Amino acid sequence: MEIHELSHNDYKEAGMKTYHVFGSADFNELNRNKCEELFYLGFREGKFRLGFIGGTRENELFSPFSAPFGGFSYISSDVRLQYIENAVKSLKQWAADKQFSSISITLPPSFYERDFIAKQINCLWREGFEISKIELNHSFDLESFDDNYADNIRYNARKNLRIAFTAELEFSLCATVDEKMIAYDIIRQNRAGKGYPVRMTWKQIYETVGLIPADFFLVNSSKREPVASAIVFHITDTIVQVIYWGDLHGYSDLKPMNFISYKLFEYYSSSGFKIIDIGYSTENSVPNNGLCEFKEGIGCEVDPKYSFIRKL
């Protein structure tokens, strides 16, 4: 299989299907300054079969270099297993010729494209890639959301949701830039209170939502004080991902996180989406038990998210 280094525009014109927005050429081009060198690769056998976008840092190749997940993209979703295997072999040889020290790839959870992700896992493993991390990723099946939702979740989550309803919280979609900035600042304060910063600045968020459809939400107290917020990206036509959410210190007794999760499920279910990706609840495979229990309590399912590495 031939491997071609392509330009940003040539990669787009090759017809690569980006089954998630983080695999698009435009998203990666926007984040080019977060790696030392950016490569758009096309894999041709008769014609282009697969694509791969990777960025380098300190002589290592990463996909993604600035996103939750990356990996290969395809021209056709029913791409043959042998093409993926040959592409992985070609990628290894190309990276070795470039004298990179390693290749690191993090794949999406399987619900993004079950067959294609399973094939990638199989081919990477058989071609000598080792599993470096297995994160636990939580998501909610929006097709299961109905009037009986509260009856089907765990007792503590159900109790907290009742408290939130009693508190007369208000949920709204942000309509102005000022409202979106308030939503972002709530998340910034939430992260600072827990001792770690938000990884994306407001400027980076604002630039990204110029490419990726996104929604910002606010939860106000009965006194119309903002107490919680969420930022949600549209990752595919049927899947959205909670990029950030959080509440302000001093308002946890109102249970705004139980409220905002319920309202997000309601909002996206009525909008025709199928899955809301809540993100991973581990760090380097080590679980945050409280976060896992919260997400599972509100009805989320758990999928593994695999990261692979191949030393060269």
Side-chain angles (χ1 to χ4, degrees):
M1 178 172 276
E2 299 172 353
I3 186 168
H4 297 262
E5 294 183 25
L6 305 174
S7 69
H8 165 239
N9 287 329
D10 287 343
Y11 188 88
K12 292 169 64 176
E13 291 173 4
M16 303 301 173
K17 302 295 191 303
T18 54
Y19 68 101
H20 57 80
V21 295
F22 303 125
S24 72
D26 287 344
F27 175 84
N28 284 275
E29 192 68 21
L30 177 65
N31 291 281
R32 173 183 282 275
N33 65 344
K34 297 178 182 177
C35 66
E36 294 165 5
E37 193 169 7
L38 177 59
F39 292 96
Y40 298 98
L41 304 177
F43 299 83
R44 182 192 289 272
E45 193 162 313
K47 60 181 181 180
F48 281 120
R49 305 289 180 177
L50 293 154
F52 182 91
I53 302 175
T56 60
R57 293 195 199 97
E58 297 180 353
N59 207 43
E60 298 177 77
L61 181 68
F62 294 91
S63 177
F65 61 89
S66 179
F69 41 77
F72 288 86
S73 295
Y74 51 67
I75 299 292
S76 174
S77 61
D78 62 349
V79 58
R80 294 178 184 176
L81 185 65
Q82 70 190 57
Y83 291 143
I84 302 174
E85 180 179 346
N86 290 342
V88 173
K89 289 178 179 177
S90 297
L91 178 65
K92 285 182 357 186
Q93 186 59 57
W94 174 87
D97 292 343
K98 292 283 188 181
Q99 297 185 324
F100 295 142
S101 60
S102 66
I103 307 169
S104 292
I105 299 173
T106 295
L107 299 177
S110 61
F111 56 80
Y112 276 92
E113 188 75 68
R114 193 168 302 277
D115 291 356
F116 184 56
I117 292 167
K119 290 177 182 179
Q120 288 183 82
I121 291 171
N122 175 268
C123 291
L124 291 168
W125 177 256
R126 288 190 294 108
E127 288 302 318
F129 282 74
E130 298 178 353
I131 296 173
S132 56
K133 292 185 291 186
I134 305 177
E135 307 291 10
L136 297 178
N137 198 95
H138 288 81
S139 62
F140 184 81
D141 179 0
L142 292 166
E143 295 180 327
S144 71
F145 185 85
D146 56 26
D147 292 340
N148 298 316
Y149 167 78
D151 297 326
N152 296 324
I153 57 178
R154 293 182 182 177
Y155 171 75
N156 280 343
R158 185 164 61 250
K159 179 184 68 175
N160 290 339
L161 188 57
R162 284 200 300 266
I163 292 171
F165 285 149
T166 302
E168 298 181 347
L169 300 174
E170 297 179 355
F171 174 84
S172 63
L173 175 67
C174 296
T176 68
V177 173
D178 286 345
E179 288 176 337
K180 293 174 182 179
M181 291 180 69
I182 291 170
Y184 175 83
D185 195 58
I186 288 172
I187 289 160
R188 182 193 60 77
Q189 291 182 60
N190 175 273
R191 294 296 189 273
K194 294 178 180 178
Y196 49 88
V198 179
R199 292 177 180 174
M200 295 179 73
T201 65
W202 166 249
K203 182 176 183 292
Q204 290 169 334
I205 289 278
Y206 192 74
E207 290 175 343
T208 302
V209 301
L211 281 178
I212 298 176
D215 304 311
F216 295 69
F217 300 92
L218 282 172
V219 171
N220 290 332
S221 71
S222 59
K223 298 179 181 179
R224 304 194 64 79
E225 301 165 323
V227 299
S229 66
I231 301 173
V232 181
F233 284 2
H234 296 211
I235 308 302
T236 76
D237 291 340
T238 60
I239 301 173
V240 294
Q241 184 182 57
V242 177
I243 299 299
Y244 292 122
W245 64 358
D247 57 1
L248 289 177
H249 178 72
Y251 291 95
S252 60
D253 58 325
L254 302 179
K255 307 303 178 186
M257 295 309 297
N258 293 85
F259 182 74
I260 201 170
S261 61
Y262 173 86
K263 298 302 288 186
L264 288 174
F265 297 165
E266 181 182 58
Y267 179 87
Y268 286 109
S269 175
S270 65
S271 300
F273 287 88
K274 292 184 178 179
I275 294 173
I276 182 164
D277 181 356
I278 308 297
Y280 56 91
S281 308
T282 49
E283 190 69 36
N284 294 320
S285 304
V286 179
N288 179 324
N289 291 319
L291 196 54
C292 289
E293 289 173 11
F294 171 78
K295 293 179 180 179
E296 290 167 35
I298 62 176
C300 290
E301 299 174 340
V302 188
D303 288 275
K305 188 174 81 165
Y306 291 94
S307 293
F308 292 87
I309 188 168
R310 180 65 157 86
K311 300 290 186 181
L312 300 173

